[in-house]
Amino acid sequence: MNFKPHHIAFTVDDIVESTKWYSEKLGFQTVHNYERNGMQIALLKQGDFKIELFHFPDNTSPLPEADKNLMKNLHTIGTKHICLEVDDLDTTIIELKEKRVEFATEIDTAGFGGRYVFIKDCNDILIEIYQS
């Protein structure tokens, strides 16, 4: 078997706000918008990487408080975050601050090399920005 990443999926509070956030803050473009089984779905793309957003208009539960804090989140079993690799972390941080993106951590060094910082999207979902 040979696997390669295709997409990551997030359930969001507001599909329009989230689609706009990923477009304006991180440069993703909307590829598809559709509805299925009572949910709204948007597929966004940047290069070869895709993010799928789900929203249930009548029944979306909020993100648990523990998942909004990186260290608390890491203590819970399950998927933790998305990591987006960049060529220049310092320049990316400047650009994200200019776009008023919320930062969850300061810059740190990964145990396997490289540097990273965590941001939050408009739903408080953690996103790692990494430079090797």
Side-chain angles (χ1 to χ4, degrees):
M1 286 185 271
N2 185 22
F3 298 108
K4 66 178 186 175
H6 183 267
H7 73 274
I8 190 164
F10 298 130
T11 298
V12 298
D13 184 49
D14 182 323
I15 197 99
V16 173
E17 176 187 23
S18 295
T19 300
K20 182 178 176 183
W21 191 93
Y22 280 93
S23 174
E24 291 179 358
K25 309 294 186 188
L26 301 184
F28 280 81
Q29 301 299 313
T30 302
V31 179
H32 297 288
N33 280 309
Y34 59 100
E35 292 187 21
R36 176 170 291 153
N37 300 325
M39 69 180 141
Q40 298 170 333
I41 304 167
L43 184 66
L44 306 144
K45 181 177 180 181
Q46 186 187 81
D48 292 332
F49 190 75
K50 298 170 201 76
I51 296 176
E52 189 174 29
L53 303 176
F54 299 116
H55 174 68
F56 296 86
D58 299 325
N59 191 18
T60 298
S61 299
L63 185 68
E65 285 301 315
D67 288 343
K68 297 178 184 181
N69 176 287
L70 178 62
M71 290 313 294
K72 288 180 181 178
N73 178 274
L74 292 175
H75 287 269
T76 305
I77 294 171
T79 303
K80 300 294 99 188
H81 58 266
I82 179 177
C83 179
L84 302 173
E85 188 170 4
V86 297
D87 293 327
D88 185 338
L89 183 62
D90 297 316
T91 300
T92 301
I93 288 171
I94 291 167
E95 292 173 6
L96 292 172
K97 285 183 177 180
E98 288 173 354
K99 294 178 180 182
R100 298 177 189 214
V101 170
E102 181 182 351
F103 284 77
T105 68
E106 299 293 325
I107 297 172
D108 204 348
T109 303
F112 50 83
R115 300 179 314 136
Y116 66 91
V117 67
F118 277 83
I119 62 172
K120 291 183 178 186
D121 79 352
C122 57
N123 296 279
D124 288 326
I125 296 171
L126 293 164
I127 300 169
E128 181 179 1
I129 308 297
Y130 171 81
Q131 177 187 347
S132 59

